[in-house]
């Protein structure tokens, strides 16, 4: 009989662990940090006012800054909701359109294109096709 060299234990365990379970290496989306009016950069203040950065007034907080911060935070929260729900639905076998409608309804989003993109991204990741 032919003798084979001993395969190190760590290589064997790595192969066994790779074969076990799904190939799901997806990471859950991170909760976005909330923006505050006092933390706005000069460029963000200019965007809030709709003027070039050189024309931003030196005075303190304006009501436009609060409106801008609210819009940015609402947008980031909706995007996080879509990403989080798509992440949770990554292993579902339902049609993508059905899952997209459910995610859009849960997150109160009207455009389904970004929802479908997120669902596809996490489904591909979960199936090992990053």
């Amino acid at each position: 009989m032919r003798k084979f060299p001993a395969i190190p234990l760590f290589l064997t365990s790595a192969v066994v662990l790779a074969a076990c379970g799904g190939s799901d290496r997806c990471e859950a989306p991170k909760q976005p940090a909330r923006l505050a009016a006092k933390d706005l950069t000069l460029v963000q203040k200019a965007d809030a006012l709709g003027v070039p950065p050189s024309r931003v007034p030196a005075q303190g907080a304006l009501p436009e800054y609060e409106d801008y911060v609210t819009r940015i935070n609402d947008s980031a929260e909706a995007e996080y909701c879509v990403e989080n729900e798509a992440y949770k639905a990554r292993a579902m076998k339902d049609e993508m359109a059905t899952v997209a409608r459910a995610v859009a309804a849960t997150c109160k989003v009207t455009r389904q294109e970004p929802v479908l993109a997120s669902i596809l991204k996490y489904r591909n990741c979960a199936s090992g096709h990053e």
Side-chain angles (χ1 to χ4, degrees), residues 6-123:
I7 299 174
L9 182 59
F10 72 90
L11 286 178
T12 307
S13 62
V15 170
V16 169
L17 288 176
C20 293
S23 59
D24 187 354
R25 286 180 248 121
C26 304
E27 292 184 22
K30 304 219 181 326
Q31 179 81 28
R34 299 213 34 102
L35 187 63
K38 64 181 178 64
D39 299 327
L40 292 177
T41 65
L42 180 65
V43 172
Q44 290 171 325
K45 288 178 181 179
D47 286 345
L49 298 174
V51 299
S54 61
R55 298 205 41 220
V56 172
Q59 63 200 35
L62 298 174
E64 290 85 358
Y65 296 162
E66 291 298 328
D67 294 340
Y68 177 79
V69 167
T70 301
R71 285 193 318 268
I72 295 296
N73 286 336
D74 289 348
S75 176
E77 202 59 41
E79 184 178 333
Y80 171 73
C81 179
V82 167
E83 289 287 317
N84 192 44
E85 292 300 318
Y87 172 77
K88 290 191 272 184
R90 69 192 180 279
M92 288 184 168
K93 302 296 181 201
D94 300 24
E95 287 184 19
M96 279 184 44
T98 304
V99 176
R101 281 192 299 276
V103 169
T106 300
C107 297
K108 298 174 180 73
V109 177
T110 55
R111 294 190 55 227
Q112 287 204 359
E113 294 85 3
V115 176
L116 283 167
S118 294
I119 291 168
L120 182 60
K121 175 179 81 172
Y122 284 109
R123 279 192 177 182

